[in-house]
Amino acid sequence: MSIEQRPRRCGGWLERLIQHARVRSPWLLHFDCGSCNGCDIEVLACLTPLYDVERFGIVNVGNPLHADLLLVTGTVNRRNARVLANLYRQMAAPKKVVAIGACGLSGGIFREADNVIGGIDRIIPVDCYVPGCPPRPEAIIDGVMRVLERFGTGHPKEDVAKGKGIP
Ligand code: SF4
């Protein structure tokens, strides 16, 4: 084996190890984009001992630089679109986004309001949509687990290329 081949082989092995660790213990950032707090209460319920997402190794963090997953509730409006885009930009690739609730999917009951742009995917790419008003904690956990499966199968570089409509 030539010297040029060594870093590439090591990189592939290391990438797989990091990806495995990410699936087993993803760090999650929750952002309330403009919800009525109904969805946020259900997201917080996932962290309580009753639903206990930490049993899947999921840790709630407050810093986008540390997060693998972004959970967004509520509508995007003209004021918070830039904040949402900034949070997404700060997250290191590969990263995944879960849109939660009717508001996060389409603007929900607020979609006709003057200042509302619509769902999360109008600003950042979304990997999983969890419908409901609000969705139950079981549905939110299911959405997160589906996204984690995609972490395990996709190549990290696929996620780097994503990103559209960011203001
Ligand atoms: S989907 Fe329903 S519960 Fe969730 S933020 Fe919108 S109005 Fe509130």
Side-chain angles (χ1 to χ4, degrees):
M1 182 174 62
S2 71
I3 291 173
E4 294 80 40
Q5 286 172 322
R6 274 184 207 158
R8 212 169 27 209
R9 287 190 64 184
C10 177
W13 174 83
L14 195 59
E15 245 169 33
R16 282 198 301 280
L17 179 67
I18 292 170
Q19 200 168 46
H20 178 77
R22 187 176 286 116
V23 172
R24 295 293 172 178
S25 184
W27 288 18
L28 176 156
L29 177 71
H30 168 218
F31 179 54
D32 172 3
C33 207
S35 82
C36 73
N37 280 147
C39 286
D40 302 308
I41 289 168
E42 301 302 320
V43 170
L44 293 178
C46 299
L47 303 169
T48 61
L50 184 61
Y51 294 100
D52 191 19
V53 285
E54 286 198 17
R55 71 196 138 118
F56 300 117
I58 298 169
V59 178
N60 190 29
V61 295
N63 188 339
L65 299 175
H66 300 162
D68 305 302
L69 289 175
L70 178 61
L71 256 63
V72 189
T73 55
T75 60
V76 181
N77 60 42
R78 299 192 197 292
R79 204 173 176 85
N80 63 28
R82 193 168 292 275
V83 179
L84 175 64
N86 273 340
L87 285 174
Y88 181 77
R89 242 190 240 115
Q90 288 179 67
M91 291 170 64
K95 51 192 168 186
K96 302 284 184 195
V97 177
V98 181
I100 295 174
C103 293
L105 271 59
S106 65
I109 56 170
F110 306 109
R111 67 183 176 280
E112 303 293 342
D114 278 349
N115 64 335
V116 168
I117 296 173
I120 309 304
D121 60 5
R122 298 286 300 273
I123 304 299
I124 59 173
V126 171
D127 299 279
C128 183
Y129 299 84
V130 181
C133 182
R136 291 188 55 80
E138 291 93 334
I140 296 170
I141 294 171
D142 183 57
V144 169
M145 297 312 290
R146 282 169 193 267
V147 163
L148 291 184
E149 284 167 15
R150 294 181 56 187
F151 261 132
T153 54
H155 194 277
K157 288 198 173 84
E158 285 172 15
D159 299 298
V160 181
K162 294 176 92 180
K164 57 181 182 188
I166 293 175

